Amino acid sequence: MAGQSGQNTRKGENLLQTPEQEDGASRHRQFSPVHTRKLGFTRRQRDRRDLKEDENPEAKARRHKEMELKPMYKELLYTIAHKMGKPASAEVFTNSQLHQYLKEAFTMTDEEHIALMEKVQNTEPPVYCLMVTVKEAKEILGKDVSGFSDPYCLLMVLEEEEEKKSSSAKAKPSKYVVKGTVSHEKIYQTDIKKQTLNPIWNQTFILEFVHLANTTFHLEMWDKDEEVSLTQKLEEIKTNLNSLRRMIKEAKKEKGTDDFLGNIVLRLQDLHCTEDNWYKLEPRTETYPNRGQCHLFLQFIHKARDGTLSAGRSAYTNYCGILQQFVQAYISKQQSSAPWKGALCGEAQTLLELYATQNDLSPFLQDLAKWVAYSKLYQSLEVDSSVLFHQLTSIEYHWHQQELPYQQKQELGDSLHGFLQYGLCLVSKYRDIFPPTPSATPKLHTLLRILVQICKTQAFQKQNPANFELHEGVHDAIETGTEEWFTIKKGLHQPMTKDLTEIGSALSRLIAEVREDIRHNKDVWNRVFFSAVQVDVFTVVYQKFDSLLAKEVKATLSIMEDQMDQNLSKSLFPVYLSLQAIHKDKAFLQKRGLLQLTDFHEGFRDALPYWLNQAFSTTQDRVVRAVQVDQLQPLQVGAVPIKHSSSAVDLVACIQPICHLWEQLSWPDPEEAFMLMVKLTEDVCKIVVNYCHLLKERVRVLSENSDHSIAINMLCVVVNDLEHLRSVLTRLPAQLNWEVLRVRTESVIGQSQFENTLHSQLQQAKSILCKEIRSALDTLGRQLNTDIETHVRSMSTRRRIPSKSTEDAAAPLMRYLEQELKYMNENLVQENFNSLLTPLWQNSVKILYQVSNQHLQQEGLMVFCQRLLYTLQCLEQCFHADGNGLPEKALHSDEYKKLKAHLTHHSLTSHQLIEKFFKRKISEQRDYQGEKYGAVTLLTSYRRSDQRLHIEVLNAVSLLPMDSNGLSDPFVRLCLEPNHVFPEIEPRCTQYKSCDLNPLFDEAFDFLVSLDQCRTPGACLVITVLDHDTLRPDDFEGEAFLALEVVPGVSEQEGEKVDSQMDSAPEKIRLPLTHPKPNEDSILKLLESRRGEREAQAFVKKRRQREKQSQEAVQQ
């Protein structure tokens, strides 16, 4: 085992060097590290052999095997033959297993393997070395008086014979363990660290050995002891009395003798290829068992490996080739198509670890080799992104810790720039390589993240003197790729002929693909690019397509100028729609600017009339066909009936494309859009009006040979169709977004012009529909009105009213109406049914009124009017239908109120009429103002205790002079009315007062009447003031009417508490006298017509007599 002097010790690893550095360091320095470059150019030209382009692939493969694979194969066989230490993997492989794996990975035959094995066995063995890095120690013993130590370490490798020799030389206990027993050439010493218990060395030593077995590694830590003057020691005692015991111990110790701090002994055959651990410092005795720990890095390496194995190739280059070969072998064996995630089999990992450690390849160089290999594999195989991310992270970490040799630094720069160039090339073709699918877009996102990570690394920034910006690079790649993609698509969609229609169709197909690509960029790829590199790919692509499409569309439309026809316009319509959709996507642009497609619609003005005419004619033809096959039957009956026919549904479906055309066009120019809306509305109205005419003709054709019921049913369906169409027209402004158009055009089209033009068109069409609906409903209602009149008149066809009841008399009419209205309700939609009910109700009221007025003098008028009133009530219930028919507001018209009042009045009995007469008189008395004919004052009360009405006539004032002397002889006559309520109560009179216009009577009268009689409707006290004449009938001074219900004692309600022991206090009341107006009372006229009722005739005679005496008659 040859020794090495201290000059071979490597202090720190700030400059990493490959194992061949010692021979080629000067050669590496001749390359300038400041060569500037731009992305896409390599820093240096690699050595390339001149290969014939037409070389046979088999010869090329043999050449590769001989020149590349076999040298690496021999290196690995050499590594296996001289392996040292255990691999890091838990699984241990024998040499034969490793050989078998190598043959498979390098595709070597048995003969080739044996031949190469023989060559390796004939090579010179390497020098086995243990590279030891003493990093640091912690918590060691303090041996000095100050409590600290001056530690240093001794390192050596002892084989079994030397260890036995050193142990036998120590017959007596000695302070030294190995120190002093081994030659100084085999011992390596670290630096001395002053006054510390946690020393840091970071010194590396290479210890050679011959055999791995029975060989141990020793490390001894010592405290350096130096001679100190007595004065200094006394000074230390003064400052630190606690160190007195240490001083006593120092006095006993020989001068210049170092103190033992601990040792570490490791068997080499127990070590792994690489060890990086903290080891406990073992004591020599049990005095101080806890002596701290020491951090060591151990690695088995080779020195003087045989250079004939791979002549001219560095260990780093071999490692790169071996790694790539192992990865390709691993991937080729995998059955699944999943990306490779960096895994290798155990044999490959073991061989890579052995080769790297034996050739002293640093972790930085290993990670660099992996990055180079994996980034190349990424360009040909499916490699998981995490593999590249991991290597980039490792390189970034090592870059801050260590420095690469110039050659490897250049290789790293070339690799990073090369991968970046390759990545941007993929980005430019992202449409084809990363389609918008859930499985492909994550791969694009991963690629972009890798590019971002590359640009963030210090290695790339140091090797990037051109200051490359990834954001700009991706932007340029997207633009370039978009233009190339557009050119390719344009070539694919070239028209086959020079026909203008074919040219338009080709342009349509091209723009459709562009539209789809823009949609994918907006919905899928934009999220990927923006989240990874903050590039708005949608904006970039949209702006590029904007310029490309504008140029292409302008060129194509210029060819078609002045040659527009129906077929050509049809081929251009998809072009317009696609451009419209693309133009709407500008709302999603992050950066707004002037776009070249802004006024794209101007090129399609010539085609616009053709599009409108096509839509109108197509819709019109479909409507005609729909009516021709319509059988005018309801579409569906049952629980959810559909009462209109098939043509109405077809018409709505036919009109919908016209509305859809408006949405599709979305014409940008406001004024032109208004004119376009006028045209579309006009077309819709024409179609609707034409449908009405077609439907009427269809009814005529189908009803020619049909019976009445079928014709009525078809007429109901037609009415429903027209109503359905009217509802469609009502919704037309909302469907066409008139309000939005009004807002758009308010600056160029006035509000009045907008309303007068569009709404007048729509209103005209709706009025035509309403007219047709009314005409059909009148036809349906005409027969009903005739039958209703017949039933009403049948109630009084005989001179004398039959004796049957009112209900029986009205029953035939109600049964007829119930049957007919039920049929109409089942066959008409609700709107039409209500429209039919309204005129039918109005006509029924009119018939009842006419019939009632034609029988004013007929006997039995009261009974007849009672029947008519009952009929009116039944009709009202029938037409109202508990809220499902006409509303009460529609039912209670002025004609209805007039008829009801008329029938109610004529349906009353004579007694009811008389009561009504007195109620009216009481009301007139209450409303009468002034005392034209004088007034009378009474004191009234009612005693409930004996049911006695007490009346005191106090006086009268301002009476009219009735005698020739200008005076009167007045008296007061009291009479309780109506007479049928008070049949047994006789009138009472006061004494007359001669020649007095303001007489004072002061007379009292009592009437025995019940409380119920007093509360009868119309019950009153009639006060008549007369002028007494002896030879002639008494003259009439005036009359007044006092309602008994207001008399104290009667006016208390039933709920009020009235003390039966106490009568109500009399109340004084002054009543103005009145005179009746002759021939103005309708009640008297009605009573007068009932000549067969004596009581009624007597009452009328009495009142007529009073009218004759009235001064109102004289004044008239």
Side-chain angles (χ1 to χ4, degrees):
M1 179 178 64
Q4 286 188 348
S5 62
Q7 64 184 8
N8 292 330
T9 301
R10 294 182 293 176
K11 297 182 179 180
E13 291 187 351
N14 293 330
L15 179 61
L16 276 179
Q17 295 180 336
T18 54
E20 62 274 15
Q21 57 160 3
E22 298 167 353
D23 298 328
S26 61
R27 177 171 54 86
H28 293 326
R29 294 191 192 99
Q30 67 185 358
F31 292 99
S32 173
V34 293
H35 287 303
T36 58
R37 69 186 290 279
K38 291 185 177 180
L39 186 63
F41 295 93
T42 57
R43 293 179 175 273
R44 55 188 172 81
Q45 293 292 331
R46 299 172 184 265
D47 295 334
R48 297 180 179 271
R49 302 179 185 273
D50 294 331
L51 300 177
K52 296 181 180 180
E53 295 180 359
D54 56 351
E55 186 177 4
N56 190 346
E58 295 181 359
K60 188 176 181 179
R62 288 195 299 269
R63 181 184 181 88
H64 173 70
K65 193 170 189 180
E66 290 293 332
M67 302 301 296
E68 300 289 339
L69 298 185
K70 287 188 177 181
M72 293 188 291
Y73 195 83
K74 290 187 288 184
E75 285 284 350
L76 290 175
L77 291 177
Y78 190 86
T79 299
I80 296 172
H82 303 288
K83 65 179 181 178
M84 299 176 293
K86 301 176 181 178
S89 61
E91 190 175 2
V92 179
F93 301 96
T94 63
N95 290 355
S96 60
Q97 290 176 320
L98 296 176
H99 289 163
Q100 182 63 33
Y101 171 74
L102 279 179
K103 288 194 297 182
E104 296 175 358
F106 283 79
T107 62
M108 294 293 177
T109 63
D110 292 338
E111 292 78 8
E112 292 173 332
H113 173 72
I114 294 172
L116 294 174
M117 278 290 293
E118 291 177 356
K119 292 182 180 180
V120 171
Q121 290 171 0
N122 294 329
T123 58
E124 291 292 330
V127 176
Y128 301 138
C129 302
L130 177 65
M131 185 173 69
V132 181
T133 300
V134 183
K135 293 186 174 182
E136 59 182 322
K138 62 182 179 180
E139 300 174 359
I140 64 175
L141 294 178
K143 290 291 188 176
D144 294 341
V145 177
S146 61
F148 294 97
S149 295
D150 302 324
Y152 66 93
C153 297
L154 300 177
L155 295 81
M156 63 219 74
V157 173
L158 298 180
E159 296 184 3
E160 186 177 8
E161 295 179 358
E162 294 177 327
E163 194 168 358
K164 289 180 181 179
K165 188 184 299 183
S166 64
S167 61
S168 62
K170 296 181 290 182
K172 297 180 180 180
S174 174
K175 293 182 180 180
Y176 305 104
V177 179
V178 178
K179 182 181 179 183
T181 62
V182 181
S183 62
H184 290 289
E185 291 82 3
K186 296 181 179 181
I187 298 177
Y188 300 90
Q189 179 179 330
T190 65
D191 296 336
I192 300 171
K193 300 298 180 181
K194 297 291 187 178
Q195 295 297 296
T196 179
L197 298 180
N198 299 290
I200 299 175
W201 287 285
N202 282 327
Q203 289 182 263
T204 302
F205 306 90
I206 297 177
L207 286 67
E208 298 179 1
F209 61 92
V210 178
H211 301 291
L212 189 66
N214 301 323
T215 302
T216 55
F217 163 72
H218 291 261
L219 180 143
E220 294 179 0
M221 191 176 295
W222 295 86
D223 172 41
K224 186 65 176 176
D225 189 17
E226 297 179 354
E227 293 185 5
V228 182
S229 65
L230 180 60
T231 302
Q232 185 176 353
K233 289 189 177 182
L234 289 174
E235 186 65 27
E236 291 179 356
I237 293 174
K238 290 179 182 179
T239 57
N240 190 0
L241 294 176
N242 293 330
S243 62
L244 182 58
R245 191 176 64 173
R246 293 180 182 271
M247 293 298 299
I248 295 172
K249 187 175 180 180
E250 286 286 329
K252 294 180 180 181
K253 188 175 66 173
E254 297 179 8
K255 293 182 179 181
T257 303
D258 297 341
D259 291 323
F260 178 76
L261 296 177
N263 71 339
I264 299 171
V265 179
L266 301 173
R267 297 174 59 191
L268 297 189
Q269 62 184 8
D270 295 335
L271 297 178
H272 288 82
C273 298
T274 302
E275 295 271 1
D276 188 1
N277 293 318
W278 285 89
Y279 296 95
K280 183 179 180 183
L281 292 170
E282 298 295 337
R284 183 178 55 189
T285 64
E286 298 299 327
T287 306
Y288 297 103
N290 187 10
R291 292 175 174 265
Q293 294 177 311
C294 186
H295 188 189
L296 300 177
F297 175 75
L298 307 173
Q299 180 178 338
F300 290 110
I301 65 173
H302 286 173
K303 287 179 64 177
R305 284 173 67 97
D306 194 306
T308 62
L309 297 173
S310 55
R313 296 169 61 95
S314 66
Y316 169 76
T317 305
N318 286 332
Y319 185 84
C320 292
I322 293 169
L323 176 62
Q324 191 164 351
Q325 189 66 25
F326 284 171
V327 173
Q328 291 176 347
Y330 180 84
I331 295 177
S332 64
K333 287 185 177 181
Q334 300 300 310
Q335 300 297 327
S336 65
S337 59
W340 179 63
K341 296 185 178 182
L344 287 175
C345 62
E347 295 92 337
Q349 294 177 7
T350 299
L351 289 170
L352 288 170
E353 182 183 4
L354 290 173
Y355 186 82
T357 55
Q358 290 177 10
N359 289 275
D360 192 16
L361 291 177
S362 67
F364 198 176
L365 291 175
Q366 294 180 48
D367 288 330
L368 173 59
K370 290 179 181 178
W371 161 256
V372 173
Y374 297 165
S375 61
K376 289 181 180 179
L377 288 171
Y378 184 86
Q379 302 179 28
S380 58
L381 300 173
E382 286 281 346
V383 178
D384 191 86
S385 60
S386 61
V387 178
L388 298 179
F389 275 122
H390 176 71
Q391 298 310 131
L392 285 173
T393 305
S394 299
I395 290 174
E396 183 70 5
Y397 170 76
H398 292 305
W399 185 271
H400 291 284
Q401 303 296 324
Q402 301 161 341
E403 186 174 353
L404 278 176
Y406 175 74
Q407 183 178 356
Q408 276 68 44
K409 190 181 295 185
Q410 292 293 99
E411 183 174 8
L412 175 58
D414 286 341
S415 176
L416 293 176
H417 283 82
F419 188 86
L420 189 60
Q421 181 185 12
Y422 172 74
L424 292 177
C425 181
L426 295 183
V427 168
S428 67
K429 297 177 174 58
Y430 69 93
R431 294 174 174 85
D432 301 320
I433 300 175
F434 306 104
T437 60
S439 60
T441 50
K443 297 178 181 178
L444 173 60
H445 188 264
T446 299
L447 172 63
L448 294 173
R449 287 183 58 204
I450 293 174
L451 299 183
V452 171
Q453 189 68 19
I454 288 175
C455 294
K456 286 182 178 180
T457 58
Q458 289 292 326
F460 178 80
Q461 294 174 6
K462 294 291 185 181
Q463 305 294 99
N464 181 30
N467 296 322
F468 171 75
E469 291 291 340
L470 179 62
H471 188 278
E472 296 178 1
V474 172
H475 185 282
D476 294 342
I478 293 171
E479 277 196 338
T480 303
T482 300
E483 187 167 2
E484 292 175 354
W485 181 88
F486 183 83
T487 303
I488 294 172
K489 293 299 181 181
K490 180 181 176 181
L492 291 175
H493 294 293
Q494 284 294 327
M496 303 300 293
T497 64
K498 293 184 178 181
D499 181 62
L500 293 180
T501 303
E502 177 62 26
I503 293 175
S505 300
L507 179 61
S508 174
R509 293 192 296 270
L510 173 61
I511 297 179
E513 289 220 36
V514 172
R515 177 186 175 187
E516 185 71 9
D517 184 75
I518 290 177
R519 185 179 67 83
H520 288 321
N521 277 282
K522 176 171 65 73
D523 298 339
V524 181
W525 287 316
N526 196 57
R527 293 195 301 268
V528 177
F529 278 93
F530 196 81
S531 62
V533 290
Q534 286 71 53
V535 173
D536 183 12
V537 68
F538 169 73
T539 300
V540 177
V541 170
Y542 188 93
Q543 292 175 345
K544 191 64 179 178
F545 278 141
D546 177 68
S547 61
L548 295 172
L549 284 178
K551 181 179 179 181
E552 188 68 24
V553 171
K554 184 178 180 180
T556 303
L557 293 180
S558 64
I559 301 174
M560 303 176 179
E561 191 173 0
D562 299 331
Q563 302 187 54
M564 191 63 61
D565 57 20
Q566 188 63 49
N567 292 332
L568 184 56
S569 66
K570 186 176 181 180
S571 68
L572 287 179
F573 188 64
V575 175
Y576 177 86
L577 294 183
S578 298
L579 290 175
Q580 177 77 346
I582 292 173
H583 186 63
K584 287 181 179 179
D585 284 338
K586 71 178 181 180
F588 299 98
L589 292 176
Q590 296 298 322
K591 296 180 181 180
R592 299 293 179 88
L594 182 61
L595 298 174
Q596 298 184 33
L597 282 176
T598 300
D599 298 324
F600 75 95
H601 65 284
E602 294 179 356
F604 296 89
R605 283 198 179 100
D606 294 341
L608 185 58
Y610 292 94
W611 296 342
L612 298 179
N613 292 334
Q614 178 67 28
F616 175 77
S617 59
T618 302
T619 303
Q620 185 66 26
D621 293 342
R622 291 179 61 186
V623 170
V624 171
R625 290 195 299 271
V627 174
Q628 288 175 350
V629 299
D630 193 357
Q631 297 301 316
L632 298 181
Q633 296 295 325
L635 280 179
Q636 181 175 325
V637 296
V640 185
I642 299 177
K643 298 180 181 180
H644 45 263
S645 65
S646 60
S647 63
V649 178
D650 293 338
L651 179 62
V652 175
C654 293
I655 294 177
Q656 191 61 35
I658 297 181
C659 301
H660 184 57
L661 176 63
W662 166 255
E663 296 177 3
Q664 288 178 310
L665 292 175
S666 298
W667 200 258
D669 185 84
E671 189 171 0
E672 293 178 358
F674 174 73
M675 300 306 298
L676 179 61
M677 177 62 75
V678 172
K679 174 61 176 172
L680 290 176
T681 305
E682 180 183 358
D683 289 346
V684 172
C685 294
K686 285 182 179 179
I687 292 171
V688 168
V689 173
N690 188 45
Y691 174 75
C692 293
H693 299 322
L694 293 173
L695 206 59
K696 290 173 64 176
E697 180 62 23
R698 184 64 177 169
V699 172
R700 187 189 64 79
V701 172
L702 293 179
S703 60
E704 284 181 352
N705 299 320
S706 302
D707 57 22
H708 180 71
S709 61
I710 295 177
I712 292 297
N713 185 56
M714 286 191 293
L715 191 58
C716 290
V717 173
V718 169
V719 174
N720 294 337
D721 289 346
L722 297 179
E723 180 61 34
H724 182 67
L725 193 56
R726 190 168 68 88
S727 66
V728 172
L729 283 183
T730 304
R731 297 192 300 269
L732 188 63
Q735 286 181 307
L736 294 177
N737 288 325
W738 280 12
E739 181 60 25
V740 176
L741 179 63
R742 187 190 66 78
V743 174
R744 283 183 57 199
T745 59
E746 59 185 359
S747 60
V748 293
I749 303 295
Q751 177 72 20
S752 59
Q753 182 181 357
F754 188 93
E755 295 288 338
N756 293 337
T757 305
L758 290 178
H759 287 277
S760 62
Q761 282 183 325
L762 192 62
Q763 192 59 39
Q764 184 178 2
K766 291 173 68 175
S767 63
I768 294 175
L769 281 177
C770 292
K771 180 180 178 181
E772 296 295 337
I773 292 174
R774 285 195 301 270
S775 175
L777 291 177
D778 290 344
T779 303
L780 290 173
R782 194 174 297 119
Q783 183 64 41
L784 293 176
N785 291 329
T786 303
D787 294 341
I788 290 174
E789 184 175 1
T790 301
H791 282 284
V792 171
R793 293 186 181 279
S794 68
M795 295 180 184
S796 61
T797 54
R798 296 174 56 189
R799 187 66 179 171
R800 291 190 173 274
I801 300 299
S803 59
K804 62 181 178 179
S805 65
T806 301
E807 291 81 359
D808 294 338
L813 173 62
M814 300 316 300
R815 283 195 300 269
Y816 170 78
L817 273 179
E818 181 179 0
Q819 177 182 354
E820 293 298 322
L821 293 181
K822 180 180 179 182
Y823 174 82
M824 294 298 176
N825 187 33
E826 290 175 352
N827 290 274
L828 291 176
V829 296
Q830 189 64 38
E831 293 82 358
N832 289 335
F833 182 66
N834 292 338
S835 299
L836 176 65
L837 287 180
T838 300
L840 193 62
W841 165 255
Q842 294 173 351
N843 195 64
S844 299
V845 172
K846 182 179 179 181
I847 292 172
L848 289 175
Y849 191 78
Q850 290 176 352
V851 172
S852 65
N853 286 329
Q854 291 174 359
H855 295 76
L856 288 178
Q857 305 301 325
Q858 179 180 336
E859 294 184 10
L861 177 62
M862 180 186 69
V863 177
F864 181 64
C865 288
Q866 288 175 350
R867 291 182 178 181
L868 292 181
L869 180 62
Y870 176 75
T871 303
L872 179 64
Q873 295 171 348
C874 293
L875 288 175
E876 181 180 358
Q877 294 178 1
C878 178
F879 281 85
H880 184 57
D882 296 329
N884 297 319
L886 293 178
E888 291 185 356
K889 184 177 180 180
L891 292 171
H892 296 168
S893 61
D894 293 339
E895 291 79 6
Y896 164 81
K897 293 176 182 178
K898 183 178 178 181
L899 172 63
K900 186 174 182 180
H902 174 77
L903 294 178
T904 302
H905 184 67
H906 286 78
S907 299
L908 297 177
T909 63
S910 297
H911 287 175
Q912 291 173 331
L913 288 174
I914 293 172
E915 291 173 0
K916 186 176 180 181
F917 172 83
F918 283 110
K919 287 173 66 178
R920 184 185 299 174
K921 287 295 182 180
I922 292 171
S923 177
E924 292 175 356
Q925 181 73 48
R926 183 168 53 248
D927 298 336
Y928 187 76
Q929 300 292 330
E931 295 181 353
K932 178 179 178 181
Y933 301 107
V936 62
T937 304
L938 305 177
L939 194 67
T940 63
S941 66
Y942 180 79
R943 296 198 299 267
R944 295 190 180 189
S945 58
D946 54 357
Q947 295 188 341
R948 190 179 298 272
L949 176 64
H950 180 72
I951 305 294
E952 292 185 25
V953 183
L954 299 180
N955 66 339
V957 295
S958 304
L959 299 178
L960 296 176
M962 303 302 293
D963 295 339
S964 59
N965 57 6
L967 298 174
S968 293
D969 303 322
F971 69 95
V972 177
R973 185 171 183 268
L974 304 177
C975 180
L976 292 179
E977 294 288 351
N979 185 58
H980 63 270
V981 178
F982 306 99
E984 299 179 357
I985 305 300
E986 296 293 333
R988 305 291 183 88
C989 296
T990 65
Q991 298 294 325
Y992 70 90
K993 302 296 180 178
S994 299
C995 301
D996 194 352
L997 298 180
N998 296 287
L1000 179 64
F1001 297 105
D1002 204 13
E1003 295 183 37
F1005 302 92
D1006 290 326
F1007 297 91
L1008 296 176
V1009 293
S1010 66
L1011 184 62
D1012 292 336
Q1013 287 177 302
C1014 294
R1015 289 180 173 175
T1016 302
C1020 62
L1021 175 66
V1022 180
I1023 305 101
T1024 308
V1025 180
L1026 300 170
D1027 173 44
H1028 178 70
D1029 288 328
T1030 305
L1031 300 177
R1032 294 182 304 170
D1034 297 333
D1035 295 326
F1036 178 68
E1037 288 275 357
E1039 62 183 357
F1041 298 87
L1042 174 65
L1044 297 184
E1045 62 182 2
V1046 301
V1047 173
V1050 178
S1051 59
E1052 288 81 0
Q1053 299 298 322
E1054 295 181 1
E1056 299 179 4
K1057 294 183 178 180
V1058 179
D1059 191 351
S1060 61
Q1061 302 299 326
M1062 295 182 62
D1063 295 327
S1064 300
E1067 180 179 329
K1068 186 176 181 180
I1069 184 171
R1070 182 178 176 127
L1071 299 173
L1073 298 177
T1074 62
H1075 282 222
K1077 294 181 180 181
N1079 299 323
E1080 288 191 1
D1081 198 304
S1082 60
I1083 296 178
L1084 292 179
K1085 292 180 181 179
L1086 182 58
L1087 290 172
E1088 194 173 17
S1089 66
R1090 298 180 181 180
R1091 302 191 180 279
E1093 300 183 20
R1094 294 181 180 180
E1095 185 177 359
Q1097 295 302 316
F1099 178 78
V1100 171
K1101 182 179 179 181
K1102 181 178 178 180
R1103 293 308 303 174
R1104 294 297 186 196
Q1105 182 66 31
R1106 189 66 71 206
E1107 290 177 358
K1108 290 179 181 179
Q1109 297 174 339
S1110 172
Q1111 292 293 328
E1112 295 289 332
V1114 175
Q1115 293 177 6
Q1116 290 181 356

